[in-house]
């Protein structure tokens, strides 16, 4: 791979990371550690992504850092209790969440009820107010490329600020194939004069090579100047260590970090 430059990729990717802890056993102490990791000697990540119950705890820990607080709703299974999801969203925003990562009701969508999935997104969009809304399609569960394309467009039409591949909680999470479809939908909407929607691959992105692959797909479809924290995020828990190691010049000792 002659153009593979780990340090250049790391420098580009670090400010795009949504540093994530959605472990079932996550504690307030773990969130404090996550907040500390989010601020590095090489710059800060874009956001942390945590369970809603920790949003209020994280707010003072990140004050003044510029790091956003993202949280998840309807997570991880994309259920159909819309009123509960709307309430969950409103509480998260009141607690200080800057960004809401909503799992689309992908089961309803796959079962031939796209209108239900779309209406749920619209209602969460309204409840989120000024918070950024990322809609998780769960592409590995949708499977069919045509349905991934349709789900992406549905989320855009319903008011998503970002479309996101996955929860990281299923067998198949982010894949280059799903990324290409989703980024193509974003490009199609741009061509028709619609406001930019962002893209977030998540689940299984751990190495600099992984990050470089997704950045290359985005560059190919949308141009080298499109990617920034306003339009592209990596949802990851382990990627940051590889990026920092490359920027520190110690990545050669971390073979798997490439």
């Amino acid at each position: 791979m002659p153009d593979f430059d780990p340090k250049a990729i790391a420098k580009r990717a670090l400010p795009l990371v949504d540093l994530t802890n959605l472990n079932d056993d996550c504690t307030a102490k773990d969130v404090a550690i996550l907040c500390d990791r989010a601020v590095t000697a090489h710059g800060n990540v874009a956001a942390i992504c945590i369970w809603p119950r920790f949003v209020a705890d994280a707010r003072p820990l990140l004050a003044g850092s510029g790091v956003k607080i993202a949280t998840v709703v309807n997570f991880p299974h994309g259920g159909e209790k819309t009123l509960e999801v709307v309430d969950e969203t409103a509480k998260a925003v009141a607690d200080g969440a800057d960004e809401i990562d909503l799992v689309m009701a992908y089961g309803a969508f796959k079962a031939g009820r796209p209108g239900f999935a779309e209406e749920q997104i619209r209602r969460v969009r309204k409840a989120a107010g000024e918070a950024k809304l990322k809609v998780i399609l769960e592409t590995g569960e949708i499977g069919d490329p045509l349905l991934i394309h349709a789900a992406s467009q549905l989320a855009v039409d319903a008011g998503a600020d970002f479309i996101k591949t996955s929860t990281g909680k299923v067998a198949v999470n982010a894949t280059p194939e799903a990324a290409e479809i989703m980024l193509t939908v974003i490009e199609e909407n741009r061509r028709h004069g619609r406001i930019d929607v962002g893209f977030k691959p998540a689940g299984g992105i751990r190495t600099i090579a992984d990050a470089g692959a997704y950045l290359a797909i985005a560059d190919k479809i949308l141009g080298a100047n499109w990617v920034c924290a306003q339009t592209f995020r990596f949802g990851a828990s382990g990627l940051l260590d590889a990026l920092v190691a490359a920027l520190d010049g110690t990545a050669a000792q971390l073979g798997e970090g490439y």
Side-chain angles (χ1 to χ4, degrees):
M1 195 183 297
D3 296 325
F4 183 68
D5 183 340
K7 195 164 188 175
I9 293 170
K11 184 176 181 180
R12 191 178 180 199
L14 189 148
L16 308 176
V17 171
D18 282 3
L19 185 62
T20 301
N21 187 333
L22 294 170
N23 296 334
D24 292 337
D25 60 354
C26 183
T27 66
K29 182 178 179 181
D30 294 328
V31 170
I33 292 169
L34 196 77
C35 291
D36 187 59
R37 289 181 62 215
V39 178
T40 85
H42 303 287
N44 301 347
V45 302
I48 62 165
C49 187
I50 54 178
W51 292 107
R53 63 184 179 271
F54 296 120
V55 168
D57 294 330
R59 187 84 266 166
L61 298 177
L62 291 172
S65 70
V67 177
K68 304 297 185 185
I69 298 175
T71 194
V72 291
V73 299
N74 210 24
F75 189 94
H77 302 301
E80 299 186 16
K81 296 181 178 178
T82 298
L83 290 179
E84 291 183 8
V85 182
V86 168
D87 288 346
E88 188 178 27
T89 301
K91 184 179 187 310
V93 172
D95 284 347
D98 302 295
E99 302 177 357
I100 300 293
D101 286 29
L102 162 72
V103 183
M104 186 181 81
Y106 62 87
F109 174 80
K110 286 175 63 182
R113 295 189 290 136
F116 178 90
E118 181 173 358
E119 178 62 17
Q120 187 178 84
I121 295 169
R122 290 187 184 279
R123 294 183 70 175
V124 172
R125 166 71 279 168
K126 185 175 180 180
E130 296 299 312
K132 195 178 295 292
L133 177 62
K134 310 190 198 92
V135 176
I136 306 169
L137 306 184
E138 204 67 288
T139 53
E141 294 294 290
I142 293 175
D144 186 296
L146 292 177
L147 286 179
I148 293 172
H149 188 285
S152 299
Q153 188 59 56
L154 180 151
V156 171
D157 290 340
D161 296 304
F162 272 71
I163 49 178
K164 175 178 171 181
T165 59
S166 335
T167 60
K169 301 289 188 178
V170 294
V172 178
N173 292 285
T175 65
E177 294 77 15
E180 187 143 356
I181 294 166
M182 295 168 70
L183 286 161
T184 296
V185 170
I186 293 170
E187 193 275 334
E188 289 166 353
N189 281 276
R190 290 184 83 215
R191 266 194 286 125
H192 289 93
R194 300 188 67 165
I195 294 173
D196 258 351
V197 173
F199 172 66
K200 179 176 173 179
I205 301 170
R206 299 183 179 90
T207 70
I208 294 174
D210 292 337
Y214 286 103
L215 290 171
I217 295 168
D219 289 348
K220 178 183 73 172
I221 294 172
L222 288 152
N225 295 323
W226 181 77
V227 169
C228 66
Q230 294 303 308
T231 57
F232 191 105
R233 301 285 182 83
F234 289 109
S237 55
L239 177 62
L240 182 62
D241 291 337
L243 301 179
V244 170
L247 292 168
D248 283 342
T250 61
Q253 302 169 24
L254 304 172
E256 64 180 22
Y258 281 110

